[in-house]
């Protein structure tokens, strides 16, 4: 048996894209024969999964699970490269199994789940030919925890002090539709307010020009007040009854909104726009060399 050197492991990593431990394990099993190790890894689907890992996965599904007593819930986002895969049974089964494990283990961070589900993820990638990633998860606990899932693309958890599951679901539904950035005005950072002021002044430079400083200041205060109302959950008009603010809705029910989590598939992930014309041109040019 050939010695499993660091150089040999490095070469296998470079040729397959797999991790160090996976490469070392494959070399040991192949008794140091790197070509056999590559064949074995290809047969197991590991190499295919590794190659797909570089592909951007910005589609996928959001899933939620609430405890029977409505005092705890977990939300998870699992990404795929296409929405088509997100609707397939194999992907749905992977999402469901991942969610169940996260919920049962009361996980508050995705890292342990990602490690535990890596083998299942690689098997799914090898089967479907797309990159798949567990991106994030969150867990909420409290007096009352409600959830709302809008299709498979938007999910919300809401934690209340007091109130009931029906109220929590109504608030969660509102959050899904209105996408508030903060719970209440006190949570809005000074940086966010300053940025909004900067944008307002830039967009209204013509209207502001020549006006007294106190008038401009009142205009800015009006815009900031509107911004805080639009961005803060408790200040927003309830979607089912615009005459009532969400915060007042909770108070009338003897409840207080403690926190919320809103996930939307792919938010914050930069998608690559394929320029197929340029790609074909490049391939043609390369063929002539």
């Amino acid at each position: 048996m050939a010695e499993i050197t660091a150089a040999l492991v490095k070469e296998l990593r470079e040729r397959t894209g797999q991790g160090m431990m996976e490469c070392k394990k494959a070399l040991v099993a192949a008794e140091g024969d790197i070509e056999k190790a590559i064949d074995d890894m290809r047969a197991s689907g590991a190499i295919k999964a590794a190659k797909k890992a570089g592909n951007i996965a910005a589609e996928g599904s959001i899933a939620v699970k609430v405890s029977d007593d409505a005092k705890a819930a977990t939300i998870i986002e699992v990404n795929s490269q296409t929405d088509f895969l997100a609707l397939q049974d194999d992907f749905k089964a992977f999402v469901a199994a991942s969610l169940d494990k996260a919920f049962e283990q009361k996980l508050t961070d995705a890292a342990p789940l990602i490690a535990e589900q890596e083998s299942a993820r690689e098997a799914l990638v090898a089967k479907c030919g797309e990159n798949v990633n567990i991106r994030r998860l969150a867990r909420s606990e409290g007096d009352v925890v409600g959830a709302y899932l809008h299709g498979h693309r938007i999910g919300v958890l809401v934690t209340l002090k007091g109130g009931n599951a029906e109220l929590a679901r109504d608030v969660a539904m509102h959050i899904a539709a209105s996408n508030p950035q903060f719970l209440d005005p006190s949570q809005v950072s000074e940086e966010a307010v300053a940025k909004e002021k900067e944008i307002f002044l830039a967009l209204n430079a013509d209207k502001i020009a020549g006006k007294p400083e106190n008038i401009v200041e009142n205009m800015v205060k009006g815009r900031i007040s509107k911004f805080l109302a639009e961005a803060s959950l408790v200040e927003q008009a309830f979607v089912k009854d615009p005459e009532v603010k969400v915060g007042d809705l909770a108070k009338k029910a003897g409840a207080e909104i403690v926190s919320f989590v809103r996930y939307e598939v792919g938010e914050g992930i930069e998608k690559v726009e394929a320029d197929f014309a340029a790609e074909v041109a490049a391939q043609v040019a390369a063929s002539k060399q």
Side-chain angles (χ1 to χ4, degrees):
M1 175 179 172
E3 181 184 358
I4 311 300
T5 64
L8 198 60
V9 174
K10 180 176 182 292
E11 181 182 350
L12 185 57
R13 285 187 68 189
E14 292 174 348
R15 293 177 62 179
T16 64
Q18 280 289 72
M20 181 181 70
M21 294 307 296
E22 288 77 10
C23 289
K24 185 174 182 180
K25 188 183 299 183
L27 284 167
V28 170
E31 299 184 340
D33 186 335
I34 192 169
E35 298 301 331
K36 184 177 187 305
I38 291 173
D39 288 340
D40 291 344
M41 293 169 81
R42 183 178 292 114
S44 70
I47 294 177
K48 185 177 182 181
K51 288 181 178 178
K52 294 295 179 182
N55 295 341
I56 294 176
E59 299 295 336
S61 291
I62 306 297
V64 299
K65 185 169 185 177
V66 182
S67 62
D68 293 338
D69 61 3
K71 292 186 178 298
T74 296
I75 184 169
I76 187 173
E77 177 181 0
V78 181
N79 295 128
S80 59
Q81 286 178 241
T82 65
D83 190 55
F84 174 80
L85 179 61
L87 300 174
Q88 304 308 303
D89 289 342
D90 287 339
F91 183 84
K92 289 180 179 179
F94 177 78
V95 173
S98 300
L99 176 62
D100 285 344
K101 289 181 179 180
F103 182 82
E104 291 165 6
Q105 296 174 31
K106 299 181 179 180
L107 297 179
T108 57
D109 181 74
L113 181 66
I114 291 171
E116 183 176 352
Q117 288 290 82
E118 181 59 15
S119 294
R121 186 196 71 83
E122 287 189 347
L124 177 59
V125 171
K127 182 176 182 180
C128 72
E130 282 191 27
N131 191 16
V132 173
N133 289 312
I134 296 173
R135 183 186 183 195
R136 54 182 173 169
L137 65 82
R139 180 179 175 84
S140 296
E141 297 180 355
D143 287 356
V144 180
V145 180
Y148 175 73
L149 195 61
H150 186 72
H152 65 283
R153 300 192 64 85
I154 298 176
V156 178
L157 300 184
V158 172
T159 304
L160 302 179
K161 182 178 181 180
N164 54 44
E166 183 179 356
L167 174 64
R169 179 177 169 77
D170 276 347
V171 174
M173 188 182 299
H174 169 93
I175 293 168
S178 299
N179 192 18
Q181 302 303 300
F182 309 95
L183 175 59
D184 59 58
S186 69
Q187 293 186 349
V188 182
S189 67
E190 292 182 3
E191 290 78 10
V193 172
K195 184 65 176 177
E196 187 64 23
K197 179 179 179 179
E198 179 184 334
I199 293 172
F200 175 79
L201 292 174
L203 292 176
N204 294 274
D206 293 341
K207 296 180 181 178
I208 292 171
K211 283 186 169 56
E213 185 177 339
N214 65 316
I215 297 297
V216 174
E217 188 62 28
N218 285 334
M219 291 174 66
V220 170
K221 285 181 179 179
R223 175 53 210 162
I224 296 303
S225 295
K226 185 178 181 183
F227 166 68
L228 294 175
E230 292 173 345
S232 304
L233 173 61
V234 298
E235 294 296 319
Q236 289 182 338
F238 182 45
V239 290
K240 286 187 174 182
D241 184 359
E243 299 299 317
V244 179
K245 291 183 179 181
V246 175
D248 292 335
L249 175 75
K251 287 180 182 179
K252 289 179 181 178
E256 176 188 349
I257 303 170
V258 177
S259 64
F260 71 89
V261 178
R262 184 186 187 277
Y263 281 177
E264 185 167 348
V265 167
E267 59 188 347
I269 299 177
E270 185 176 351
K271 299 182 182 181
V272 175
E273 299 295 335
D275 186 339
F276 293 109
E279 185 177 331
V280 171
Q283 289 178 353
V284 172
S287 68
K288 293 179 179 179
Q289 294 179 355

